[in-house]
Amino acid sequence: MQTLPNVSSYPESTAVGSGTISVFVTNLGKYNEGELVGEWLALPTTSEQVKQCFQRIGIDGINYDEYFLTDYESTVYGVSNYISEYSNLDELNYLACKLDELSHDEMEIYEAVIDVGDYVNSITDLINLSDNLDCFQSLSNISDEYDLGFYWIAESGCYSLKELGNLSNYFDYERYGHDITLEQNGTFYSGNYIYYTGETFSSDYDGKSIPEEYCVLTEPNDFDD
């Protein structure tokens, strides 16, 4: 396949959609013929909107029946790193719907967990993560290792500074916070500290069985790669 064009070479009439995830759906047959025919599609979306998109870019199931994603963006940090040229629209729509259901606080935890990098390797993982945010804890207004160490020693109630007396003045909060971060595999994100609580992480979605209510391809197998 030819090298993918840059965004600057896309038709000027197109614009990134307003969805949680936006993908530039491209007619693969036309592209192989040397013509870029496609448009941005905002997710979540509906079967009717996808059908209309395919019609506008010439995918009719007869002369042209394959699409691929020339570009992709997301308003959620890190998500676009796991989207590829041939990502399935049903699965992406499933993910976009799950992301739309998250509250502001849940979204901060979600993005922080992606930032850690140990829990996500695929779109499947991103979907399952949205259902496992209760496995993570957020401590507000803790932006560095010193803050974290001070919280656990002076504010959490786990220790009594009164009993330490003057020795508390010599405590290395930053070093203690550093050790806690390593132990909990935590991360500082958006002024908060996020860490894994150790609870069981469930994987209800197997990467194959997309719930029907999230499927937007009229016939899911028609336009798979």
Side-chain angles (χ1 to χ4, degrees), residues 60-71:
D60 54 12
I62 302 174
N63 298 309
Y64 301 99
D65 59 3
E66 294 182 281
Y67 72 89
F68 76 116
L69 308 180
T70 315
D71 198 11

Side-chain angles (χ1 to χ4, degrees), residues 37-88:
V37 179
E39 68 177 38
W40 284 102
L41 178 68
L43 307 176
T45 189
T46 65
S47 295
E48 183 60 30
Q49 289 173 330
V50 171
K51 182 179 179 181
Q52 292 174 3
C53 171
F54 283 156
Q55 289 175 341
R56 287 192 293 269
I57 66 176
I59 296 179
D60 54 12
I62 302 174
N63 298 309
Y64 301 99
D65 59 3
E66 294 182 281
Y67 72 89
F68 76 116
L69 308 180
T70 315
D71 198 11
Y72 24 85
E73 299 183 1
S74 176
T75 58
V76 181
Y77 169 82
V79 165
S80 61
N81 294 333
Y82 299 94
I83 303 175
S84 69
E85 296 173 38
Y86 293 101
S87 290
N88 183 279

Side-chain angles (χ1 to χ4, degrees), residues 201-217:
F201 196 97
S202 63
S203 298
D204 295 331
Y205 174 54
D206 60 5
K208 299 176 182 178
S209 305
I210 303 171
E212 185 177 349
E213 63 266 30
Y214 299 108
C215 294
V216 291
L217 294 174

Side-chain angles (χ1 to χ4, degrees), residues 139-155:
L139 300 178
S140 302
N141 301 317
I142 296 180
S143 58
D144 55 32
E145 292 175 345
Y146 179 91
D147 289 345
L148 181 61
F150 186 83
Y151 167 80
W152 282 113
I153 295 299
E155 299 178 340

Side-chain angles (χ1 to χ4, degrees), residues 127-129 131-132 134-135 196 199-205:
I127 292 172
N128 283 318
L129 175 60
D131 292 322
N132 285 276
D134 55 350
C135 294
Y196 178 50
E199 296 194 22
T200 302
F201 196 97
S202 63
S203 298
D204 295 331
Y205 174 54

Side-chain angles (χ1 to χ4, degrees), residues 15-22 40-44 75 100:
V16 179
S18 58
T20 303
I21 297 173
S22 295
W40 284 102
L41 178 68
L43 307 176
T75 58
D100 266 9

